[in-house]
């Protein structure tokens, strides 16, 4: 005797009207495209790229934080360039100790570093015989917080700036591996220390005091 | 078309996708109490259910193409977190396509965990971008995870775009699963 087939269960497919999906997606795509065109309309005046044309002599090896810094005690590169306003700025072996910070406008760590260094300099100043320089590098108009000139001006950055070129010649010469990049220079023009990343005010104060010591 | 224009389009698309995902989620929650939300849910399931895997595949395909555009055409070096998100997204562009072709109804079992992992990494990556103190105090000179390549509409970065795509894939696969369960 053959078993009876069980009665077919009624379909539980959900009831509901079917939306014209292709029309909706096509409409959405068109609206997004139109809004994009309006958002990206050229306002007329677009700012020029901000690259410098620095001249560099010499180079330090890349900083290797795990193997000790091979650059310590070696002469720093000489850099001749200009700030955003075109005023010449040079980092040379002039018999003075130096603090150099290399900054990228898009880097949040640099954005955190600039305000407290500004405040620290306003409060403490620099001791006799120590100079402070900065290098604006890794400049890219496609990235946030561009242009760097506006960023540093708005921050009240009191330090002379050398603007790096498109290929980062200055940052390469200092052996930069990460931002911000600090280079501390003895009065005889040799590297005292290099640091990749943010430092605190206490560290800056201690190193500057050491550089200023006779 | 330049990178800024394409980024603006991607950002707007991401916002639209996120809004659709949120609306769909809200309808799902409200439908538990019956009422008109249950009818809206039915409309969504009927309209999208049969094509949900196909649409999810298209989302994964566009996300993959977009990420390759940014790295290979725009020259944005992917950071470590970008790579982790790619590891989650790129397989989806393949397996969702195969699943759509074979009408595989169990694809959600494989694809949703992958998309959820990718989405979680995208959220963390976005938090690192917005709150840099979560990460180390420096930006890699080559491929910084804290760095922001794209900044649109005041909050959209590349991880937000990735999250929108992962969320859309999960939502679509959820809709597809509802449709399959209701048809059984």
């Amino acid at each position: 005797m053959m078993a009876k087939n069980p009665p077919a269960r009624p379909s539980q497919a959900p009831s509901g009207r079917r939306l014209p999906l292709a029309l909706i997606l096509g409409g959405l795509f068109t609206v997004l495209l139109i809004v994009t065109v309006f958002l990206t309309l050229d306002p007329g005046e677009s700012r020029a790229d901000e690259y410098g044309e620095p001249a560099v002599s010499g180079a330090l090896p890349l900083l290797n934080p795990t193997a000790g810094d091979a650059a310590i005690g070696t002469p720093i590169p000489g850099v001749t360039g200009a700030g955003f306003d075109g005023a010449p700025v040079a980092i040379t072996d002039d018999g003075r100790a130096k603090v150099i910070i290399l900054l990228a406008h898009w880097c949040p760590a640099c954005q955190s570093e600039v305000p407290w260094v500004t405040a620290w300099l306003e409060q403490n100043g620099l001791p006799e015989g120590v100079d402070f320089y900065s290098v604006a590098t890794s400049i890219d108009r496609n990235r946030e917080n561009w242009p760097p000139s506006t960023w540093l001006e708005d921050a009240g950055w009191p330090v002379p700036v050398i603007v790096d070129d498109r290929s980062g010649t200055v940052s390469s010469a200092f052996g930069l591996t990460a931002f911000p990049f600090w280079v501390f220079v003895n009065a005889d023009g040799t590297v005292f220390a290099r640091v990749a990343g943010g430092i605190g005010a206490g560290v800056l104060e201690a190193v500057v005091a050491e550089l200023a010591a006779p | 078309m330049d990178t800024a224009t394409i980024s603006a389009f991607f950002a707007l698309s991401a916002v639209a996708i996120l809004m659709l995902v949120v609306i769909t989620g809200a309808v799902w929650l409200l439908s538990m109490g019956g009422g008109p939300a249950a009818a809206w849910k039915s409309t969504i399931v009927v309209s999208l259910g049969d094509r949900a895997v196909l649409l999810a595949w298209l989302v994964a395909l566009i996300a993959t193409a977009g990420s390759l555009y940014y790295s290979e055409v725009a020259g944005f070096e992917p950071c470590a977190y970008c790579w982790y998100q790619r590891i989650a997204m790129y397989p989806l562009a393949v397996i969702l396509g195969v699943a759509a072709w074979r009408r595989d109804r169990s694809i959600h079992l494989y694809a949703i965990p992958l998309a959820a992992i990718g989405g979680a990494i995208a959220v963390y990556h976005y938090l690192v971008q917005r709150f840099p103190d979560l990460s180390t105090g420096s930006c890699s000179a080559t491929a910084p995870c804290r760095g922001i390549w794209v900044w649109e509409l005041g909050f959209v970065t590349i991880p937000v775009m990735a999250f929108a795509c992962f969320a859309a894939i999960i939502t679509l696969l959820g809709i597809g699963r509802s449709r399959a369960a209701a048809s059984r």
Side-chain angles (χ1 to χ4, degrees), chain B residues 96-109:
Chain B
L96 288 173
V98 175
W101 180 50
R102 296 190 62 211
R103 298 184 183 279
D104 184 349
R105 289 186 167 184
S106 50
I107 184 61
H108 63 275
L109 294 172

Side-chain angles (χ1 to χ4, degrees), chain A residues 4-5 12-13 23 30 41 49 65 71 74 99 118 128 131 148 171 178 188 199 201:
Chain A
K4 271 186 178 175
N5 284 334
Q12 293 176 10
L23 198 66
T30 308
L41 276 179
D49 281 329
T74 63
V99 176
T118 303
E128 193 59 41
D131 293 329
S171 62
D188 64 1
I199 61 172

Side-chain angles (χ1 to χ4, degrees), chain A residues 78-100:
Chain A
V79 181
T80 308
F84 291 110
D85 57 359
V89 181
I91 301 173
T92 56
D93 183 7
D94 53 6
R96 294 173 63 83
K98 295 172 186 61
V99 176
I100 305 166

Side-chain angles (χ1 to χ4, degrees), chain A residues 12 15 19 106-108 142 177-179 198, chain B residues 42 47 132 137-139 141 144 149 182:
Chain A
Q12 293 176 10
S15 59
L19 298 170
W106 46 263
C107 170
N142 290 316
T177 52
F179 299 103
Chain B
S42 287
S47 303
S138 67
C139 301
W149 283 106

Side-chain angles (χ1 to χ4, degrees), chain A residues 9 11-19 21 25 28-29 32-33 35-36 39-40 106-109 112 140 142-144 176-180 196-198, chain B residues 3-5 8-9 12-13 16 20 42-43 45-48 50-51 55 76 129 132 137-141 144 146-149 151 153 179 182-184:
Chain A
R9 281 193 302 174
S11 170
Q12 293 176 10
S15 59
R17 65 195 176 92
R18 188 181 281 264
L19 298 170
L21 201 57
L25 292 178
L28 187 63
F29 180 80
L32 290 174
L33 214 56
V35 175
T36 301
L39 279 180
T40 54
W106 46 263
C107 170
S112 302
D140 186 341
N142 290 316
R143 305 186 73 169
E144 64 143 354
L176 179 146
T177 52
F179 299 103
Chain B
T3 302
T5 307
F9 180 71
L12 284 168
S13 302
L20 290 173
S42 287
T43 301
V45 170
V46 167
S47 303
L48 290 174
D50 292 335
R51 288 167 285 188
L55 288 171
F76 298 170
Q129 288 182 329
S138 67
C139 301
S140 158
R146 296 157 53 130
I148 295 174
W149 283 106
W151 180 254
L153 308 174
R179 175 64 167 165
S183 303
R184 240 178 255 140

